[in-house]
Amino acid sequence: MSADTQSTQNIVVVGNGMVGHHFVEQLSQNSNYNITVLSAESRLAYDRVHLSEYFSGKTADDLALTTPEVYQQLGVNFYLDAKVTTIDKSRKVVTTEQGESYSYDKLVLATGSYPFVPPIPGKEREHCLVYRTIDDLDAIQASANTGKTGVVVGGGLLGLEAANALKELGLDTHVVEFAPQLMGVQLDQAGGQQLRKMIEELGVTVHTEKATNVITDGESSVHKMEFADGTHLETDLILFSAGIRPYDNLAREFDLAVGERGGIVVNNQCQTSDEDIYAIGECALWNNFIFGLVAPGYTMAKVAASHIDGGEESFTGADMSTKLKLMGVEVGSIGDAHARTPGAQSYTYQNERDNVYKKMVVSQDGKTLLGAVLVGDTSEYDSLLQYALNGIELPENPDALILPSNGGEKPTLGVDSLPDTATICSCLNVTKGDIVAAVDAGATDVGAIKSVTKASTGCGGCSALLKNVAENEFAKRGLEVKKDICSHFVYSRTELFHIIKAEKIKNFDTLIAKHGKGMGCEICKPAVGSILASVYNDYILQDDHLHLQDTNDTYLGNMQKDGTYSVVPRMPGGEVTPEKLIVIGEVAKEYNLYTKVTGGQRIDLFGARVDQLPAIWKRLIDAGMETGHAYGKSLRTVKSCVGSTWCRYGVQDSMSMAIFLEERYKGLRSPHKIKFAVSGCTRECAEAQSKDIGVIATENGWNLYVSGNGGMKPRHGDLFATDLDDATLIKYIDRYLMFYVRMADRLQRTSVWLESLEGGLEYMQKVVKDDHLGINDELERQMDAVVATYQCEWKTTVESPEKLKRFRQFVNSDKQDENIQFVTEREQIRPATLTEKAANGLLIETVDVTAVEPA
Ligand SMILES: Cc1cc2nc3c(=O)[nH]c(=O)nc-3n(C[C@H](O)[C@H](O)[C@H](O)COP(=O)(O)OP(=O)(O)OC[C@H]3O[C@@H](n4cnc5c(N)ncnc54)[C@H](O)[C@@H]3O)c2cc1C
Ligand code: SF4
Ligand code: SF4
């Protein structure tokens, strides 16, 4: 309806929760409406989603979504402590508990829901509470001050959040759940078990399959909860979080249609059975479904506002996927998490050592993602959600989406492949198209996009994806992109390097307390771990650094696809004595390890279980070997030909140079792995021009090549300097590498770094050769310090009984993982395929498949 044809209408909104407020925000932009808000609570709308932050220091003001002044400016009339008790549909009037009446043209019920308290005798006792409003939280705080133990009844999403609050209040916390698992709606059984294990490790006791019969006086605590199975639990405080029920009492009493199990029935325009009365948010029942999340409520608010204003939007349901952090445990659930779609198939990945469980549910033809469960690590949530929501075809090997990358590249969902209709922020229903439009309209940073579109201002779960889409759009338009490492630091990796160095910061906790926010994530932690190692070269498993390392560094080995590890001793320049070779052979034989010579001229031993690693390494170290850092973002190998010592064409001793270089730079932690090679003449048998640092002998010394790469995107190294003597060659390499360590982004190989550097090779030559920045002394000193503080991480580890305790298959037992199974092929082991495992049952025998005739 246009402004000129419409007279001012009275809109009365009952309830000023998150959804009621969103409705007011939508409609108050239009002056044709006289809006009156009636709220049963004593304060205007606040952020219930982040309610728990009240216990970690946020005030009611911090949580407020609006203020009286803002409503006044918008011309919205509001009444607090004004609970509506009657609706007179024929006269179109509502009346509050206090007897005040308000007439309406359109009435909007946004009454939300209330916590369900099971009808247990004793539930009304003092210190039996619920968790829904700020007033509830004040009551919980007061009660917690007088008690020692707290029980949450209900192990769903909200119950666990409440349990976290009790724990933060210092109570010995228990969760009592009727079902056999936690978060049964969002997680499958294995995910629920994983979550339980992690939550118990954090000190919360979980009791499943417990039905409470009665609550009576306790002997040592305030209450005694008696369970149907004859057991009992004493506690001082009980918090009920056993689900929610819609506040539909007004609808019931005043004859609006309600669902069989509650909820005010609405159509696609959010109208109730009376066309002048709308219901939105958690009180509304759409298609026999109540949405217990804020995002669908916001969409309903938009639809109702649009419909009142003559618009044509309709509510078509909502995605119920969730990502959250419970007591620091990351949990995500997408779509059909229980694989209930006919023909659905699942991929699962479980890493019990690192407490990670991931499952993808795909369609029968394997092309579409139907659902997912993520526990312990939700880093793939955003891209999986996009695959699921937009029906994007999965890559050929979809399991790669949830498997660890182990330093390699993972298939990425380029934001370019998302359609404009793709929902980026589901809380506020912001699409990629909305973000593109905001950039087109002049937004030049993520903050500006947020303020225009409101994206990422709800639960915040989409912030990484929003940043990705925004940066992609900025880059397309040639706008400078700010390279904050993640949402916890407003600094790039380079900036963090400088901060750490300048302020002599020695651990992550100090850095994030001074310069970041939150707890850190899987992006900033390893990046900071690597910077600290580059600057101080401490032992990476020392207590305050351990939590920063990725899986490979944590166990000082590369994890393979079956969960076993590889063992790779250093072999500088590919040179090895027969004695060492014999020990390697003996170890491989004793532990039945698959043995292979690598492209980097050393020997990889595959198939070691984590509990075998210490003994294997002890044998190798006793024989004079040391770690080859095959797992680290650090120097890998210096490949070499035999050079002038043996070869007829050699003009320099490439072997000695290669060994010297490998000994010098071994253990240097860097933004990504570094490979070297040295060739004894221009015939280039060591392929030095495909390495990060390539050295080729000349009649007069050495030619230095930089930033070559062999991997996924081959790049010929650039000729950096010619005919260098030994000392100058080392000096240049010191400076080049240290400058790279300081300046590159995380996971940026030297090839990509040089190409992205303004001024490219020429600039680097000025820096390294001409000391253009005046920092060469410092770069060299820093390299000398790293070289002087080298330690073999495995030697330090095998000498520390404390550190060795971590090398077990399972945290709480010495059991071995039955999933690790091998078969024999070409006289050596290899991981069994799924079919072979199934054929084998759970036996860990090896079967010789080379003996089987091909079909
Ligand atoms: C601790 C907690 C954590 C949560 N975390 C998340 C999350 O991570 N993600 C997510 O999407 N959702 C989360 N939710 C759910 C989310 O908060 C709700 O979906 C959302 O607040 C629903 O908004 P609403 O306006 O429909 O209802 P409410 O926010 O419940 O507001 C309804 C309001 O109406 C008032 N009212 C009721 N009856 C009357 C009456 N007769 N007269 C006047 N006023 C009345 C009520 O007092 C209340 O103030 C969480 C909820 C809680 C409690
Ligand atoms: S090239 Fe070979 S070793 Fe390297 S990541 Fe690919 S499969 Fe693994
Ligand atoms: S690079 Fe030159 S020195 Fe080295 S092996 Fe080849 S031919 Fe011989």
Side-chain angles (χ1 to χ4, degrees), residues 372-528:
V373 175
L374 304 168
V375 180
D377 174 11
T378 52
S379 40
E380 287 100 9
Y381 178 88
D382 284 347
S383 51
L384 290 177
L385 184 64
Q386 294 305 324
Y387 276 109
L389 288 183
N390 300 300
I392 298 170
E393 192 172 329
L394 290 166
E396 205 175 327
N397 297 313
D399 52 345
L401 292 170
I402 52 170
L403 290 173
S405 66
N406 286 337
E409 309 276 337
K410 276 180 83 119
T412 48
L413 172 72
V415 283
D416 258 343
S417 63
L418 294 177
D420 269 4
T421 49
T423 304
I424 303 301
C425 167
S426 43
C427 288
L428 279 298
N429 205 5
V430 182
T431 61
K432 179 181 165 191
D434 296 330
I435 294 167
V436 173
V439 178
D440 283 341
T444 52
D445 59 39
V446 177
I449 293 180
K450 277 186 178 179
S451 76
V452 176
T453 62
K454 300 277 183 285
S456 202
T457 56
C459 73
C462 64
S463 56
L465 185 62
L466 168 67
K467 185 166 174 269
N468 230 331
V469 173
E471 288 186 354
N472 189 47
E473 294 305 317
F474 296 151
K476 277 197 218 159
R477 291 160 181 75
L479 296 168
E480 196 203 336
V481 176
K482 183 124 178 55
K483 289 192 170 164
D484 297 353
I485 194 158
C486 68
S487 60
H488 302 103
F489 291 99
V490 290
Y491 299 106
S492 65
R493 181 192 174 278
T494 315
E495 288 163 338
L496 284 179
F497 188 100
H498 287 292
I499 291 172
I500 287 172
K501 206 158 175 299
E503 298 185 21
K504 299 191 173 42
I505 291 175
K506 300 217 70 170
N507 57 43
F508 183 82
D509 290 350
T510 315
L511 181 73
I512 199 160
K514 280 184 86 173
H515 297 285
K517 60 172 189 238
M519 322 256 290
C521 63
E522 69 287 347
I523 295 175
C524 59
K525 283 180 169 179
V528 171

Side-chain angles (χ1 to χ4, degrees), residues 109-330:
L109 300 176
T111 46
S113 58
Y114 60 91
F116 169 65
V117 178
I120 303 168
K123 68 178 169 44
E124 57 296 308
R125 290 162 60 91
E126 209 189 337
H127 303 294
C128 287
L129 304 164
V130 294
Y131 196 82
R132 176 89 196 171
T133 64
I134 290 185
D135 291 346
D136 292 337
L137 266 59
D138 285 333
I140 292 167
Q141 175 113 49
S143 184
N145 288 344
T146 64
K148 288 199 176 92
T149 311
V151 168
V152 176
V153 177
L157 197 147
L158 286 183
L160 295 178
E161 193 164 327
N164 186 38
L166 293 192
K167 196 168 155 278
E168 282 186 4
L169 288 170
L171 298 185
D172 173 20
T173 305
H174 297 251
V175 172
V176 170
E177 166 60 50
F178 180 72
Q181 73 164 86
L182 296 175
M183 281 183 71
V185 177
Q186 294 86 359
L187 302 183
D188 63 344
Q189 203 191 354
Q193 271 169 6
Q194 178 72 49
L195 177 64
R196 175 185 186 146
K197 177 174 165 248
M198 295 171 81
I199 283 182
E200 292 198 316
E201 279 171 11
L202 292 166
V204 172
T205 314
V206 178
H207 312 260
T208 46
E209 296 183 89
K210 294 275 178 203
T212 314
N213 275 353
V214 63
I215 305 165
T216 54
D217 282 343
E219 281 160 29
S220 52
S221 308
V222 177
H223 313 287
K224 178 177 181 181
M225 299 173 75
E226 293 184 15
F227 301 123
D229 62 4
T231 57
H232 70 268
L233 182 63
E234 295 228 343
T235 177
D236 301 311
L237 162 61
I238 299 176
L239 260 192
F240 290 104
S241 184
I244 52 168
R245 295 289 182 273
Y247 258 132
D248 56 8
N249 49 331
L250 286 173
R252 281 176 195 281
E253 286 173 41
F254 301 98
D255 209 19
L256 295 172
V258 290
E260 234 172 77
R261 299 178 60 209
I264 310 170
V265 175
V266 294
N267 63 14
N268 290 355
Q269 279 65 47
C270 297
Q271 286 167 300
T272 65
S273 51
D274 179 324
E275 64 174 18
D276 291 323
I277 304 180
Y278 295 75
I280 55 176
E282 282 189 355
C283 63
L285 181 77
W286 177 86
N287 220 3
N288 233 351
F289 203 88
I290 286 185
F291 297 88
L293 295 175
V294 73
Y298 280 177
T299 311
M300 289 179 177
K302 245 172 138 175
V303 167
S306 141
H307 193 250
I308 289 173
D309 200 35
E312 295 196 339
E313 283 185 40
S314 35
F315 184 74
T316 53
D319 175 56
M320 294 294 283
S321 303
T322 2
K323 176 169 88 163
L324 63 157
K325 218 170 195 176
L326 293 163
M327 305 183 210
V329 178
E330 295 179 5

Side-chain angles (χ1 to χ4, degrees), residues 641-644 647 649-651 654 679-686:
C641 70
V642 288
S644 59
C647 178
Y649 304 106
V651 290
S654 52
S679 282
C681 79
T682 48
R683 285 174 182 76
E684 247 285 64
C685 294

Side-chain angles (χ1 to χ4, degrees), residues 68 84 160 380 411 432 491 625 663 748 751 768 793 806 846:
V84 173
L160 295 178
E380 287 100 9
K432 179 181 165 191
Y491 299 106
M625 283 173 265
E663 294 287 356
Q748 197 173 35
S751 51
V768 169
E793 289 150 358
R806 304 185 52 258
T846 61

